[in-house]
Amino acid sequence: MRRKLAAGNWKMNGLVDDLREIKALTDAHPDPDVDLLICAPATLIAQMAWARGTHALQIGGQTCHADRSGAHTGDISAPMLRDAGASHVIVGHSERRADHGETDADVAAQAAAAHGAGLVAVICIGETLDQREAGDALSVVTSQLTGSLPASATAANTVIAYEPVWAIGTGKVPTTDQIGEVHGTLRAVLRDLMKQASSVRVLYGGSVKASNAGEIFAVPDVDGALVGGASLTAADFSPIITALENA
Ligand code: PEP
């Protein structure tokens, strides 16, 4: 019913030389059974789009401004990403929320801008370790999802990524029960917020690697992964894609 999605987030990594990883990845998965997405640094989007050739690999940005254009030095707009060859954009990644003070309202405005430009918004939410230890994980992600989802969201133009902040880049991963509990909660919240809730893909993100991908993908309601470090090379990302294809 929901096509699975293996999404990579290259963050602030990648030079032109690293596009060889795209060639290796597309060669290794010429006709994948899942959707593939790499969210590249803005400097590489156009060249990555060229490097993928006719392969189904999709390319995304990692953030966008809520405005279409204007006096915002250093920012990038959703139409610019689209123009460069992107079909998706991550919004509300915890690193953007922490480093740039982005609020749920900012994220909702960015997602709406993405939709307006014809991009799929990958909306990230997730609790901190303090929030989890205080027993607040479910209320935090419920509040973030409610505040970050714009009225323009549909199942076709929106993906949700549950990324516990304490699991990102740390090697720590929630138990499969914890992941299942959050994903079940998010699905219920989506049902309250929009019509096509059962068709919206909800990814897990946070220290996904080849060795843990299989058990994470077996959790009900996990429709794929948003992968940071392990998406940077084809050697690391390829087995995660295969695990998702086999899930
Ligand atoms: C991320 O940045 O979205 C992420 C999940 O990173 P990592 O896989 O490296 O934990």
Side-chain angles (χ1 to χ4, degrees):
M1 180 177 70
R2 295 186 297 268
R3 189 164 159 87
K4 295 187 190 291
L5 171 61
N9 173 15
W10 278 21
K11 311 193 188 197
M12 197 173 70
N13 298 291
L15 301 174
V16 171
D17 267 0
D18 298 302
L19 293 173
R20 63 175 177 259
E21 299 298 335
I22 296 304
K23 165 115 180 62
L25 194 69
T26 52
D27 284 352
H29 300 272
D31 189 17
D33 283 341
V34 298
D35 286 347
L36 297 185
L37 167 68
I38 298 285
C39 293
T43 49
L44 284 185
I45 289 172
Q47 289 168 91
M48 197 177 282
W50 181 83
R52 92 185 135 183
T54 56
H55 192 278
L57 173 72
Q58 296 173 304
I59 296 162
Q62 299 174 7
T63 186
C64 66
H65 198 279
D67 291 347
R68 292 181 60 82
S69 61
H72 302 292
T73 302
D75 280 320
I76 187 157
S77 73
M80 289 171 174
L81 293 174
R82 172 91 185 192
D83 190 49
S87 54
H88 291 61
V89 61
I90 295 171
V91 292
H93 191 283
S94 61
E95 289 154 11
R96 298 287 313 175
R97 291 177 186 260
D99 294 354
H100 299 273
E102 292 180 358
T103 64
D104 290 340
D106 295 328
V107 175
Q110 293 165 359
H115 296 157
L119 298 175
V120 175
V122 180
I123 301 176
C124 297
I125 55 175
E127 82 284 1
T128 63
L129 188 56
D130 283 352
Q131 289 166 332
R132 175 154 288 274
E133 287 178 346
D136 293 337
L138 298 181
S139 61
V140 167
V141 295
T142 297
S143 159
Q144 286 181 329
L145 179 55
T146 306
S148 303
L149 194 75
S152 53
T154 67
N157 68 19
T158 302
V159 172
I160 306 300
Y162 166 55
E163 298 207 305
V165 177
W166 51 275
I168 294 179
T170 60
K172 293 183 192 149
V173 178
T175 65
T176 51
D177 282 351
Q178 288 172 326
I179 295 172
E181 184 181 40
V182 172
H183 278 245
T185 298
L186 295 177
R187 183 71 57 198
V189 174
L190 283 171
R191 280 199 196 98
D192 286 343
L193 294 175
M194 59 190 288
K195 286 200 182 99
Q196 306 161 333
S198 59
S199 301
V200 176
R201 292 180 290 184
V202 183
L203 311 182
Y204 168 77
S207 295
V208 175
K209 41 188 189 268
S211 58
N212 60 21
E215 62 176 337
I216 292 170
F217 296 150
V219 176
D221 265 321
V222 171
D223 301 314
L226 181 56
V227 183
S231 72
L232 293 175
T233 65
D236 286 339
F237 200 30
S238 180
I240 295 172
I241 294 165
T242 302
L244 188 59
E245 289 178 318
N246 294 334

